[in-house]
Amino acid sequence: MEMTLRWYGSKFDTVTLKQIRQIPGVTGVITTLYGKAAGEVWSREEIHALKEETQAAGLHISGIESVNVHEAIKTGSPDCNEYIANYIETLENLGKEDIHLVCYNFMPVFDWTRTELARVRPDGSTVLAYTQKAVDDLNPEKMFESISNDMNGSIMPGWEPERLAHVKELFGLYKKIDEDKLFENLTHFLKQIMPVCEKYQINMAIHPDDPAWSVFGLPRIINNKKNILRLMHAVDSPHNGVAFCTGSFGTNLGNDLTDMIHALKGRIHFAHIRNLKFLSPDNFEEAAHLSSDGNFDMYEILKALFETGFDGPIRPDHGRMIWDEKAMPGYGLYDRALGAAYLNGLWEAIQKNAKKGERHEVK
Ligand code: DNO
């Protein structure tokens, strides 16, 4: 396991590489060329420059999140193979620069969806939150507007203004796409990119749908154990894997997170660890990483990762906004640093206990 932090690049992030370097145990960043639109090729030079900047700060690139997938690929439109060719070129350039992990998602139109970006918790911190009622009562354009007013001057991933401009058009594209068709388009994409992933040993890590059910009537396919295993079997290469996001799969209380981790043994290439506090099954808010602050047992989650031999990067996902920090909601420094320290502590204890167990067995 390697502890990492997500970093959006010096042009977009309020958090600096220098600060990240000072979080105990964090050795790498999960980053991206944030200014790139989905479908654009990433040149080797651009990737190299990002790598150099990271290395100059004493860190390294542990993975990319995200190389976004163009809607043409998701909808299987006639020009989808052109976009797949671009994606392959980007993967090739990443491979040549020795980058071996790429996180992506296959959610139609929206990336993740939250209905509030600054819900106040009892301790005065603010967090991202979701209520199904808010989604049911709003049309998607209105929601885009209210979310973008609340981003603390940042551009949140999945809520870029370009998307807002095309939201109606994008909904139109999905009129004829049901879950089976979306799944077919995803497997087509993966089968096309697997050869380049094999050549450069790139692990693809799909991010689950967040929340793990359909929003605004759009199809969603990466939302539970059955569906994620279906994808793992449909393209049965170790390079076709998962970014196990506890806060996304965990939005559905019917998902047993530790059981899913065991079922996905060997295919989890990356983990996003965050905690949720449920007020009801369809009204939840993001909590501190500490188990007792939310509904998830972080010890059991990390133990399941440890037991299945997980050796990829973990990043503490979405933090609360605390200590008057002004940053992209979910992506401030303070609470994610606390999260990293806590998760590192749990991991150390799990590791040491496992060693003790081995010694007892030998006796
Ligand atoms: C939200 C993130 C997502 C994630 C993408 C991966 O904070 O977890 O935006 O990066 O879905 O492609």
Side-chain angles (χ1 to χ4, degrees):
M1 185 280 281
E2 184 193 21
M3 190 54 67
T4 63
L5 216 75
R6 189 176 195 178
W7 180 64
Y8 289 96
S10 36
K11 248 170 80 190
F12 299 96
D13 212 314
T14 53
V15 180
T16 64
L17 288 173
K18 185 176 168 200
Q19 289 168 325
I20 296 175
R21 175 75 181 83
Q22 291 171 352
I23 307 169
V26 171
T27 49
V29 289
I30 298 293
T31 188
T32 187
L33 292 178
Y34 200 45
K36 286 274 181 194
E40 254 185 279
V41 175
W42 296 20
S43 75
R44 197 163 164 191
E45 294 67 40
E46 291 168 308
I47 299 164
H48 190 77
L50 186 65
K51 204 172 129 179
E52 297 232 296
E53 189 183 359
T54 309
Q55 283 171 350
L59 292 159
H60 74 114
I61 297 183
S62 312
I64 298 294
E65 175 177 355
S66 313
V67 179
N68 283 318
V69 178
H70 195 271
E71 298 293 333
I73 301 177
K74 296 185 202 162
T75 56
S77 75
D79 52 352
C80 83
N81 286 334
E82 273 166 47
Y83 284 107
I84 294 180
N86 286 358
Y87 206 98
I88 290 174
E89 212 178 316
T90 295
L91 290 177
E92 215 162 282
N93 290 336
L94 288 168
K96 285 180 184 155
E97 287 299 323
D98 213 19
I99 292 173
H100 303 283
L101 172 70
V102 171
C103 175
Y104 70 105
N105 73 77
F106 219 75
M107 289 177 249
V109 187
F110 301 96
D111 186 331
W112 56 275
T113 307
R114 289 292 91 101
T115 53
E116 289 153 71
L117 298 185
R119 183 184 291 180
V120 183
R121 298 207 70 216
D123 60 7
S125 62
T126 61
V127 294
L128 293 97
Y130 182 94
T131 46
Q132 189 57 39
K133 193 175 174 320
V135 169
D136 295 343
D137 290 350
L138 266 183
N139 78 36
E141 278 171 89
K142 281 266 150 24
M143 207 169 90
F144 241 108
E145 267 165 42
S146 71
I147 291 279
S148 53
N149 288 338
D150 232 349
M151 294 190 198
N152 285 345
S154 59
I155 298 171
M156 297 186 68
W159 296 87
E160 302 85 358
E162 313 85 87
R163 272 192 220 236
L164 173 59
H166 296 290
V167 92
K168 259 202 196 121
E169 196 185 309
L170 287 174
F171 266 82
L173 289 178
Y174 282 94
K175 282 224 171 84
K176 290 198 198 104
I177 315 278
D178 60 9
E179 287 175 358
D180 285 339
K181 184 76 188 121
L182 189 64
F183 186 79
E184 206 181 284
N185 296 342
L186 172 55
T187 52
H188 171 74
F189 165 67
L190 284 171
K191 284 180 182 159
Q192 301 295 311
I193 65 168
M194 278 301 116
V196 73
C197 293
E198 269 147 35
K199 182 168 172 200
Y200 292 101
Q201 295 297 303
I202 297 175
N203 287 330
M204 295 300 296
I206 192 160
H207 189 281
D209 302 337
D210 188 4
W213 54 80
S214 166
V215 287
F216 300 119
L218 293 162
R220 300 277 231 183
I221 51 176
I222 307 298
N223 48 4
N224 57 33
K225 179 177 172 184
K226 181 170 144 258
N227 286 345
I228 188 67
L229 288 177
R230 179 181 176 215
L231 182 70
M232 295 300 106
H233 295 141
V235 181
D236 203 7
S237 157
H239 299 293
N240 169 29
V242 185
F244 196 90
C245 178
T246 57
S248 303
F249 280 132
T251 54
N252 182 343
L253 286 168
N255 281 335
D256 178 341
L257 297 175
T258 52
D259 173 57
M260 288 175 81
I261 292 171
H262 281 282
L264 286 162
K265 184 178 170 149
R267 302 293 279 272
I268 300 180
H269 297 317
F270 180 26
H272 288 181
I273 307 293
R274 92 173 101 105
N275 201 355
L276 300 178
K277 175 81 187 164
F278 283 82
L279 292 109
S280 75
D282 62 8
N283 176 2
F284 58 82
E285 56 200 30
E286 296 181 354
H289 293 85
L290 187 73
S291 305
S292 60
D293 200 44
N295 283 64
F296 304 156
D297 188 329
M298 290 299 158
Y299 168 73
E300 290 298 340
I301 288 168
L302 290 201
K303 192 157 150 283
L305 285 169
F306 181 84
E307 285 168 355
T308 49
F310 172 76
D311 66 352
I314 286 186
R315 65 171 184 82
D317 205 1
H318 301 182
R320 302 161 304 146
M321 213 45 77
I322 57 172
W323 304 336
D324 300 324
E325 186 175 14
K326 288 262 170 301
M328 181 193 296
Y331 288 100
L333 171 66
Y334 304 143
D335 201 39
R336 287 188 303 149
L338 291 176
Y342 166 65
L343 297 173
N344 265 333
L346 282 179
W347 192 267
E348 181 181 334
I350 292 165
Q351 234 171 0
K352 287 188 173 161
N353 266 326
K355 280 223 180 87
K356 252 197 224 157
E358 276 166 28
R359 279 204 297 276
H360 287 153
E361 266 170 41
V362 175
K363 277 182 199 164

